[in-house]
Amino acid sequence: MNMFKTLLVLAGFTQLAIAASSIAIPRLLDWPKETALLRPLTRYVFWTYACYILGNHLWFSVLAIGWPEQLLAGTPLAALVTGFITLYWLARVVIQFVWFHSALSDDRLLFKAAEVAYVSAFVYVTVVFGLAAIHNLRLVIK
């Protein structure tokens, strides 16, 4: 169980790294210029969603780093939280391979390296939280 807690804490730091590095994305992808082409309401919705996503990543980090024992407690709430986080990241992995992968047209090494790092991180947190959800569900159903 200690190793599982360690994996969850590492997943928390992975999510924190995703959140921290994503702060540079608007500048690297020139979002202000790109979103200026949108109608104002669409632009505000875009930035609102970007903030929601950043907030989720930060909160998932806090939970995994600060309360790994509770995320592995085998309670219905632990199963629901770890299940939600698993589905969140699983959706991101699917989106990566269905839409983003073919849409990436930038051949710069930085963008290629970032894609590999991000996808690896997305898969890692999906697997760790998925295993935590399965662990919790086994204890809840028992």
Side-chain angles (χ1 to χ4, degrees):
M1 189 59 81
N2 283 339
M3 184 175 168
F4 206 3
K5 282 176 22 183
T6 301
L7 292 174
L8 215 65
V9 170
L10 288 174
F13 281 111
T14 301
Q15 292 170 114
L16 190 59
I18 292 167
S21 65
S22 70
I23 292 171
I25 289 175
R27 183 181 49 78
L28 290 171
L29 298 180
D30 204 9
W31 281 4
K33 178 182 163 196
E34 295 288 330
T35 59
L37 303 173
L38 301 172
R39 290 180 302 163
L41 179 59
T42 306
R43 183 173 49 253
Y44 298 144
V45 169
F46 174 86
W47 285 106
T48 300
Y49 286 175
C51 290
Y52 280 149
I53 291 167
L54 179 61
N56 281 331
H57 295 173
L58 291 172
W59 189 245
F60 295 164
S61 300
V62 168
L63 289 174
I65 294 167
W67 294 281
E69 297 88 2
Q70 285 76 12
L71 289 175
L72 297 169
T75 64
L77 182 59
L80 288 168
V81 170
T82 54
F84 171 76
I85 296 171
T86 301
L87 291 176
Y88 176 93
W89 285 112
L90 181 60
R92 182 59 182 86
V93 170
V94 169
I95 288 166
Q96 179 69 35
F97 290 109
V98 172
W99 289 292
F100 285 176
H101 186 67
S102 60
L104 186 64
S105 61
D106 199 313
D107 287 332
R108 288 183 282 181
L109 183 58
L110 173 65
F111 282 83
K112 294 293 184 185
E115 181 183 20
V116 169
Y118 273 122
V119 173
S120 298
F122 300 155
V123 169
Y124 175 73
V125 294
T126 302
V127 168
V128 170
F129 278 97
L131 291 172
I134 291 167
H135 161 80
N136 287 318
L137 286 171
R138 283 184 180 161
L139 294 174
V140 167
I141 294 171
K142 199 173 193 182

